[in-house]
Amino acid sequence: MDNPFINKGFSLIYNDNYYDNKIISKKIDNRSLFIFQKNLKKNTIVKITNILNNKSIIGTVGINADYPSFNNAVLSMRIAEEIDLNEDEPYVEIFEVLENSVFIAKRAKMFEEEKKVASKAPVNNINISDLGTKETNPDKEIDKKFSYKLKIADFYFKETALLLVDRIIKETLIKDVKIKKINEKRYRVYVGPFNNINSLQKSFNDINILEFENIEILKND
Protein backbone atom coordinates (compact mmCIF):
# COMPACT_ATOMS: atom_id res chain seq x y z
CA MET A 1 0.00 0.00 0.00
CA ASP A 2 1.31 3.43 -0.92
CA ASN A 3 1.99 5.88 1.87
CA PRO A 4 -0.31 8.91 1.80
CA PHE A 5 1.11 12.35 1.12
CA ILE A 6 1.35 14.43 4.30
CA ASN A 7 2.61 17.98 4.69
CA LYS A 8 2.57 20.39 7.60
CA GLY A 9 3.03 24.04 6.73
CA PHE A 10 1.45 27.44 6.27
CA SER A 11 -1.47 27.56 3.86
CA LEU A 12 -2.71 30.58 1.96
CA ILE A 13 -6.35 31.57 2.39
CA TYR A 14 -7.70 32.53 -1.02
CA ASN A 15 -9.03 35.95 -1.85
CA ASP A 16 -9.42 37.69 -5.20
CA ASN A 17 -6.60 40.15 -4.44
CA TYR A 18 -4.10 37.30 -4.65
CA TYR A 19 -5.44 36.42 -8.09
CA ASP A 20 -5.56 40.04 -9.27
CA ASN A 21 -1.95 40.56 -8.17
CA LYS A 22 -0.85 37.30 -9.84
CA ILE A 23 0.20 35.70 -6.56
CA ILE A 24 -2.18 32.84 -7.39
CA SER A 25 -2.78 31.87 -11.01
CA LYS A 26 -6.34 30.48 -10.68
CA LYS A 27 -9.49 31.35 -8.78
CA ILE A 28 -11.24 29.32 -6.07
CA ASP A 29 -14.94 29.67 -5.32
CA ASN A 30 -14.83 30.69 -1.68
CA ARG A 31 -18.01 28.73 -0.92
CA SER A 32 -16.44 25.49 -2.11
CA LEU A 33 -14.41 22.75 -0.44
CA PHE A 34 -11.61 22.88 -3.01
CA ILE A 35 -7.91 23.54 -2.45
CA PHE A 36 -4.84 24.01 -4.63
CA GLN A 37 -1.98 21.61 -3.81
CA LYS A 38 1.04 21.17 -6.10
CA ASN A 39 2.03 17.67 -5.00
CA LEU A 40 -1.38 16.06 -5.49
CA LYS A 41 -3.46 15.30 -8.57
CA LYS A 42 -6.79 16.92 -9.36
CA ASN A 43 -9.74 15.34 -7.49
CA THR A 44 -7.53 13.86 -4.76
CA ILE A 45 -9.46 13.73 -1.49
CA VAL A 46 -7.63 15.41 1.40
CA LYS A 47 -8.12 15.92 5.09
CA ILE A 48 -7.25 19.49 6.07
CA THR A 49 -6.42 20.02 9.74
CA ASN A 50 -5.83 23.24 11.63
CA ILE A 51 -2.96 21.96 13.75
CA LEU A 52 -3.36 24.68 16.37
CA ASN A 53 -6.89 23.64 17.35
CA ASN A 54 -7.13 20.15 15.74
CA LYS A 55 -10.26 20.98 13.73
CA SER A 56 -10.46 19.09 10.45
CA ILE A 57 -12.49 19.05 7.26
CA ILE A 58 -12.51 17.00 4.07
CA GLY A 59 -11.74 18.78 0.82
CA THR A 60 -10.78 18.05 -2.78
CA VAL A 61 -7.75 19.12 -4.80
CA GLY A 62 -8.78 21.35 -7.69
CA ILE A 63 -7.04 22.18 -10.94
CA ASN A 64 -3.31 22.87 -11.10
CA ALA A 65 -2.40 26.40 -10.07
CA ASP A 66 0.69 28.43 -9.32
CA TYR A 67 1.08 29.90 -5.83
CA PRO A 68 4.02 30.78 -3.54
CA SER A 69 6.27 27.78 -2.85
CA PHE A 70 6.36 28.70 0.84
CA ASN A 71 2.68 27.77 1.19
CA ASN A 72 1.71 24.10 1.35
CA ALA A 73 -1.76 24.76 -0.14
CA VAL A 74 -4.32 27.41 -1.04
CA LEU A 75 -7.61 27.02 0.84
CA SER A 76 -11.02 28.42 0.10
CA MET A 77 -12.42 30.88 2.62
CA ARG A 78 -15.09 28.36 3.56
CA ILE A 79 -12.50 25.77 4.54
CA ALA A 80 -10.56 28.33 6.57
CA GLU A 81 -13.72 29.40 8.40
CA GLU A 82 -14.88 25.85 9.10
CA ILE A 83 -11.60 24.98 10.83
CA ASP A 84 -11.23 28.40 12.51
CA LEU A 85 -7.92 29.10 10.81
CA ASN A 86 -5.94 32.09 12.09
CA GLU A 87 -4.79 34.20 9.12
CA ASP A 88 -1.72 35.31 11.10
CA GLU A 89 -0.63 31.71 11.76
CA PRO A 90 -2.41 29.44 9.23
CA TYR A 91 -0.61 26.26 10.29
CA VAL A 92 -2.22 23.35 8.46
CA GLU A 93 -1.67 19.66 7.80
CA ILE A 94 -2.65 18.37 4.36
CA PHE A 95 -3.30 14.61 4.48
CA GLU A 96 -4.07 12.54 1.39
CA VAL A 97 -7.05 10.22 1.89
CA LEU A 98 -6.24 7.04 -0.03
CA GLU A 99 -8.83 5.07 -1.98
CA ASN A 100 -8.60 2.05 0.32
CA SER A 101 -8.95 4.05 3.53
CA VAL A 102 -11.90 3.83 5.90
CA PHE A 103 -13.18 7.09 4.47
CA ILE A 104 -14.00 5.65 1.03
CA ALA A 105 -17.37 4.36 2.23
CA LYS A 106 -18.49 7.92 2.93
CA ARG A 107 -16.98 9.47 -0.19
CA ALA A 108 -20.24 9.62 -2.12
CA LYS A 109 -21.86 11.66 0.63
CA MET A 110 -18.96 14.10 0.58
CA PHE A 111 -19.29 14.52 -3.19
CA GLU A 112 -22.94 15.40 -2.75
CA GLU A 113 -21.85 18.14 -0.35
CA GLU A 114 -19.43 19.50 -2.94
CA LYS A 115 -22.23 19.78 -5.50
CA LYS A 116 -23.98 22.20 -3.18
CA VAL A 117 -21.34 24.84 -3.85
CA ALA A 118 -23.73 27.74 -3.33
CA SER A 119 -25.15 26.40 -0.10
CA LYS A 120 -23.78 26.69 3.40
CA ALA A 121 -23.85 23.13 4.61
CA PRO A 122 -23.49 22.82 8.39
CA VAL A 123 -20.05 21.85 9.55
CA ASN A 124 -21.42 18.65 11.14
CA ASN A 125 -22.05 17.25 7.67
CA ILE A 126 -18.48 17.68 6.49
CA ASN A 127 -16.30 17.38 9.56
CA ILE A 128 -14.92 13.89 10.07
CA SER A 129 -14.59 11.94 13.27
CA ASP A 130 -13.51 8.53 11.98
CA LEU A 131 -10.02 9.37 10.69
CA GLY A 132 -8.35 9.90 14.02
CA THR A 133 -9.62 13.42 14.63
CA LYS A 134 -9.45 14.34 18.30
CA GLU A 135 -12.21 16.18 20.06
CA THR A 136 -11.43 19.85 20.50
CA ASN A 137 -11.41 21.20 24.01
CA PRO A 138 -12.71 24.79 23.89
CA ASP A 139 -11.17 25.49 27.28
CA LYS A 140 -7.67 24.62 26.11
CA GLU A 141 -5.62 27.70 25.22
CA ILE A 142 -3.58 27.64 22.02
CA ASP A 143 0.11 28.23 22.56
CA LYS A 144 0.65 31.70 21.12
CA LYS A 145 4.43 31.46 20.97
CA PHE A 146 5.65 31.41 17.37
CA SER A 147 8.38 28.78 17.11
CA TYR A 148 8.87 26.57 14.05
CA LYS A 149 11.55 24.59 12.27
CA LEU A 150 11.98 23.41 8.68
CA LYS A 151 12.08 19.64 8.28
CA ILE A 152 14.14 18.94 5.16
CA ALA A 153 14.16 15.14 5.15
CA ASP A 154 14.37 12.00 7.29
CA PHE A 155 16.96 9.29 6.64
CA TYR A 156 17.62 5.72 7.74
CA PHE A 157 21.39 6.28 7.99
CA LYS A 158 23.11 9.12 9.81
CA GLU A 159 25.83 9.14 7.13
CA THR A 160 23.20 10.01 4.49
CA ALA A 161 21.88 12.81 6.67
CA LEU A 162 25.41 14.18 7.02
CA LEU A 163 25.82 14.18 3.24
CA LEU A 164 22.68 16.29 2.87
CA VAL A 165 23.83 18.72 5.57
CA ASP A 166 27.11 19.16 3.69
CA ARG A 167 25.26 19.79 0.42
CA ILE A 168 22.94 22.39 1.98
CA ILE A 169 25.87 24.28 3.52
CA LYS A 170 27.80 24.27 0.22
CA GLU A 171 24.92 25.10 -2.14
CA THR A 172 22.70 27.49 -0.18
CA LEU A 173 22.97 30.47 2.16
CA ILE A 174 21.92 28.25 5.07
CA LYS A 175 24.88 27.40 7.29
CA ASP A 176 23.25 26.25 10.54
CA VAL A 177 21.79 22.86 9.61
CA LYS A 178 21.02 20.32 12.33
CA ILE A 179 20.47 16.57 12.63
CA LYS A 180 18.12 15.08 15.21
CA LYS A 181 18.08 11.38 16.03
CA ILE A 182 14.40 10.42 16.13
CA ASN A 183 15.10 6.73 16.82
CA GLU A 184 17.62 4.03 15.87
CA LYS A 185 16.46 4.05 12.23
CA ARG A 186 15.53 7.68 11.65
CA TYR A 187 17.68 10.79 11.44
CA ARG A 188 16.07 14.14 10.68
CA VAL A 189 17.79 17.02 8.86
CA TYR A 190 16.25 20.34 9.84
CA VAL A 191 16.82 24.08 10.14
CA GLY A 192 15.65 26.34 12.95
CA PRO A 193 13.97 27.16 15.23
CA PHE A 194 12.50 30.39 13.86
CA ASN A 195 10.66 32.88 16.05
CA ASN A 196 8.98 34.91 13.31
CA ILE A 197 7.42 34.15 9.95
CA ASN A 198 9.80 36.39 7.97
CA SER A 199 12.94 34.50 8.97
CA LEU A 200 11.10 31.21 8.49
CA GLN A 201 10.03 32.15 4.97
CA LYS A 202 13.48 33.44 4.02
CA SER A 203 15.15 30.20 5.05
CA PHE A 204 12.45 28.17 3.31
CA ASN A 205 13.11 30.05 0.08
CA ASP A 206 16.88 29.62 0.50
CA ILE A 207 16.47 25.87 0.93
CA ASN A 208 13.87 25.59 -1.83
CA ILE A 209 16.44 26.27 -4.57
CA LEU A 210 17.54 22.65 -4.08
CA GLU A 211 14.00 21.60 -5.10
CA PHE A 212 13.23 19.15 -2.34
CA GLU A 213 9.84 17.53 -2.91
CA ASN A 214 8.26 17.86 0.51
CA ILE A 215 9.79 20.36 2.93
CA GLU A 216 7.63 20.55 6.04
CA ILE A 217 7.19 23.25 8.66
CA LEU A 218 7.00 21.74 12.14
CA LYS A 219 5.95 23.56 15.29
CA ASN A 220 8.38 23.20 18.17
CA ASP A 221 7.05 21.27 21.14
Side-chain angles (χ1 to χ4, degrees):
M1 183 177 69
D2 294 335
N3 291 324
F5 172 82
I6 304 174
N7 184 277
K8 295 181 177 70
F10 287 86
S11 289
L12 197 62
I13 302 171
Y14 178 84
N15 68 58
D16 286 334
N17 288 332
Y18 290 138
Y19 175 78
D20 294 339
N21 292 311
K22 304 186 185 304
I23 296 172
I24 301 172
S25 64
K26 303 286 176 60
K27 287 187 174 184
I28 292 180
D29 187 323
N30 266 326
R31 298 164 294 179
S32 75
L33 298 175
F34 285 96
I35 75 169
F36 296 147
Q37 215 298 318
K38 294 175 181 177
N39 301 83
L40 298 172
K41 296 179 181 178
K42 182 181 177 182
N43 295 326
T44 299
I45 308 302
V46 289
K47 176 185 175 185
I48 306 138
T49 301
N50 179 346
I51 301 173
L52 299 184
N53 63 16
N54 210 42
K55 291 186 178 181
S56 300
I57 193 170
I58 289 295
T60 303
V61 176
I63 58 178
N64 290 332
D66 295 326
Y67 57 87
S69 58
F70 175 70
N71 300 109
N72 68 345
V74 180
L75 311 179
S76 70
M77 183 64 73
R78 178 181 176 187
I79 289 175
E81 289 176 349
E82 298 285 13
I83 62 175
D84 291 334
L85 195 60
N86 181 351
E87 291 189 29
D88 294 326
E89 197 172 348
Y91 187 42
V92 168
E93 178 186 81
I94 305 297
F95 178 88
E96 178 186 9
V97 179
L98 298 177
E99 291 288 329
N100 55 358
S101 73
V102 294
F103 176 72
I104 195 65
K106 296 184 179 180
R107 184 175 178 183
K109 179 180 178 181
M110 190 276 298
F111 279 154
E112 287 303 314
E113 291 296 333
E114 287 187 347
K115 291 177 183 177
K116 303 173 184 177
V117 171
S119 69
K120 292 186 177 180
V123 68
N124 289 339
N125 288 348
I126 47 183
N127 272 357
I128 58 173
S129 57
D130 57 348
L131 287 177
T133 305
K134 299 177 182 177
E135 294 296 324
T136 302
N137 181 358
D139 297 325
K140 182 180 179 180
E141 285 191 21
I142 296 174
D143 182 7
K144 298 186 184 303
K145 181 181 178 182
F146 190 103
S147 183
Y148 292 88
K149 55 181 173 283
L150 293 174
K151 171 194 161 187
I152 312 303
D154 287 345
F155 295 98
Y156 188 89
F157 296 108
K158 184 177 181 179
E159 290 77 8
T160 315
L162 287 167
L163 287 174
L164 179 58
V165 169
D166 185 60
R167 182 188 173 199
I168 292 171
I169 291 172
K170 287 180 178 178
E171 298 182 27
T172 76
L173 297 175
I174 304 294
K175 304 307 175 188
D176 187 15
V177 190
K178 303 179 179 72
I179 296 176
K180 180 178 180 180
K181 182 178 180 180
I182 306 298
N183 53 46
E184 292 299 325
K185 299 179 180 179
R186 192 176 175 196
Y187 294 88
R188 174 165 297 165
V189 178
Y190 73 98
V191 181
F194 302 94
N195 297 319
N196 63 78
I197 196 167
N198 292 331
S199 60
L200 174 65
Q201 187 166 2
K202 181 183 183 304
S203 292
F204 182 98
N205 291 335
D206 289 340
I207 290 287
N208 202 46
I209 65 172
L210 298 181
E211 297 183 342
F212 294 111
E213 289 187 358
N214 192 22
I215 299 174
E216 288 193 90
I217 298 173
L218 303 181
K219 192 169 180 65
N220 280 329
D221 298 329

